[in-house]
Amino acid sequence: MEPDQKAGPAHDAYLVRPIGTVRSPRSVPRHDHWGDVSAVIELDPAQLQPDAVTGLEQFSHLEVVFHFHLVPESATVTGACHPRGRTDLPRLGILAQRLKERPNRLGVSRCELAGVDGLTLHVRGLDALDGTPVLDVKPHQQLFQPAPEAVREPAWLRAAMSAYYF
C-alpha cells in the first residue's frame, strides 16, 4: 500500500463473479473418498469466451478455486479447532488446515482433467459438491510446486487424511 493510501471500504470487500458451476453426484458434504468422483465444471459463456480453454487439454490436472457456498458465514472459524472435528488430533489455527469453514469460505482443490468439451471440463477427484460456484481454474504445473523433499508436514497428517481420495 502506498504511504498516503488508507485502508477503507474499498479494501474491506471484493466482488468475485463465478466463472462456472460444479456438477457432481455428491450434493452432501463428506470427508473422504473423493478420488473416484467424476464431475463436470460447466463454465459460464457469459463470463468466458469459448477459446478461454484453448490448450487446457494439454494438462493432466487442474487447480480449481471455488466457494464453499453451503457453509453459512456464521459457521466460519477464525481461530483454532480440531481438524475434521477429531479431538484425537491437535487443535490447529484455521490457517494451518484446509477446513471448509474458512473465513472467506474459499476452497482450492487439485483434480485430474479427464476431458475438455467446449466450456465443459470433465474432472475426477474434485472435492466440491454439486452446485458449487467455481471462481477460477488453472492448469496444475509442477514447475510451481516445491520439490517433494522440501515439503514439511506434521507426522499425523497422512494417517488422518489417508481416506480422503481413496
Side-chain angles (χ1 to χ4, degrees), residues 129-140:
L129 301 175
D130 188 57
T132 296
V134 175
L135 305 177
D136 203 359
V137 173
K138 299 178 182 189
H140 171 67

Side-chain angles (χ1 to χ4, degrees), residues 18-22 65-69 129 131-135:
I19 63 166
T21 305
V22 173
V65 180
F66 56 90
H67 184 247
F68 287 115
H69 67 296
L129 301 175
T132 296
V134 175
L135 305 177

